[in-house]
Every structure is written in structure tokens, then in C-alpha cells.
Amino acid sequence: MGHQRVFSGQHQTARFGELVQATCEVGAGPEGRAAGASMKASEVFDACHGRYRSLHEWLEESTGKVRAVNLESPSSGYQWRPSRSRACEFVADFERIGRQALRRPQWKGRLKLFEIYFLHSMEYREAIKLVGVAEGTFDYWLQEVKRAVGRELSQCKLFPPSKYFQA
């Protein structure tokens, strides 16, 4: 039942979602969109949140740890990573911009959802309990958060992430 609600929320976003003027490099967008294609704010959010999560995990894993190497397993190959300071800036900017986009007093619950579900990567069912709303309300708020924060990320030049790291 939760999947149907999320799906219907995504369908609602597709019908009523706002387009933002965000451009992608060829192949750089979430679905490899062509250069100059308009994207929905929720798609902008998804692209930036994906980069946020990967950098956040990388920063946590690499803090003061020495990793063992298994010489018998094949290497995953080269993975580009920005400088540590620039990665920290992206993570901090994503968090700050998200909180700024949800700063309205009547959106305290949505801000709580953003922090619990998106920043702390809490499991879906547990996040619903912690936010303290019904599942349908949570799904609706989730889509509103993605749209509001996605618009702000686009305006603040955090999207596309590849251009953020070239600056």
C-alpha cells in the first residue's frame, strides 16, 4: 500500500510538478537528459540528494580510518572524488539550502521530515513514526519537500553537481 501512495504522489508531482530552469550537460542528468532540458524540481532534488548521500558516506568512512585491501578481489576501478574540503562544502550547502527552503513556521513538520528522512537516511517506516503523521501525509509532505528544496537548489547553483565542483 505504501508503494501505491508513493507512486500516486509521484504521479501527482508529474501532473502538478513545477518545471525549473535547470540545465544538464549531455549525459549528466538523472536520466541522461540532453543539454538545456528543463527538469522538475523533484528531479533536481533527487540528483543533488544522490550526490549528497554518496559524499556524506564517503566523508564518514574516510575520517581517520585505515582501510584494509583485499588483494584477491578485483578493484572497483577509479572513482572520482572532489577534494575533501569541497565535498564538505557541498554537504553543508545541501543541508543549509534545504533548511532554508523549509523555513516557513507552518512547515515545521516538513523540516523535521527533511532532517530525519533525507539528511539522516532514516528507514521509511521509522521516519513516519518519528515525524508523527499518517503515512499518506508523510508521502504528500515528502513530495512537497522535494519540490521546495529542488527549486531552491536550482536557484542557488547547487545543480548540476558536476558544475558545482568545477567552480
Side-chain angles (χ1 to χ4, degrees):
M1 189 145 136
H3 294 291
Q4 291 174 337
R5 286 188 178 147
V6 172
F7 177 77
S8 68
Q10 289 173 346
H11 179 68
Q12 181 179 4
T13 301
R15 266 190 307 175
F16 301 110
E18 296 178 23
L19 292 177
V20 293
Q21 291 303 317
T23 57
C24 298
E25 299 166 7
V26 175
E31 289 98 28
R33 291 181 185 266
S38 292
M39 294 183 67
K40 293 181 183 158
S42 60
E43 292 172 331
V44 170
F45 176 86
D46 288 338
C48 291
H49 182 249
R51 182 62 59 99
Y52 166 83
R53 285 188 64 180
S54 66
L55 290 175
H56 192 267
E57 289 170 11
W58 174 65
L59 290 168
E60 279 186 352
E61 290 174 2
S62 65
T63 306
K65 294 182 182 177
V66 177
R67 298 179 188 203
V69 176
N70 183 354
L71 298 175
E72 296 188 15
S73 69
S75 170
S76 60
Y78 174 76
Q79 279 192 315
W80 176 86
R81 296 284 186 212
S83 69
R84 186 169 181 75
S85 61
R86 195 69 174 144
C88 288
E89 288 174 6
F90 184 89
V91 167
D93 285 345
F94 181 86
E95 292 174 0
R96 178 187 54 80
I97 291 167
R99 288 182 179 115
Q100 178 181 332
L102 303 170
R103 69 185 175 275
R104 294 179 246 177
Q106 65 272 27
W107 276 31
K108 286 181 184 176
R110 290 164 185 84
L111 177 59
K112 188 174 181 181
L113 182 150
F114 175 73
E115 291 179 350
I116 290 172
Y117 189 67
F118 291 113
L119 298 186
H120 297 291
S121 301
M122 185 72 57
E123 193 270 330
Y124 179 77
R125 296 276 177 213
E126 191 64 28
I128 290 172
K129 289 178 192 173
L130 290 173
V131 173
V133 295
E135 185 177 353
T137 303
F138 185 89
D139 292 339
Y140 179 72
W141 283 5
L142 184 127
Q143 295 304 319
E144 284 189 327
V145 165
K146 284 180 154 188
R147 284 191 300 264
V149 175
R151 278 191 305 271
E152 198 74 21
L153 292 169
S154 179
Q155 292 172 357
C156 293
K157 307 295 184 211
L158 209 67
F159 182 82
S162 59
K163 281 191 179 179
Y164 179 90
F165 289 105
Q166 289 174 356

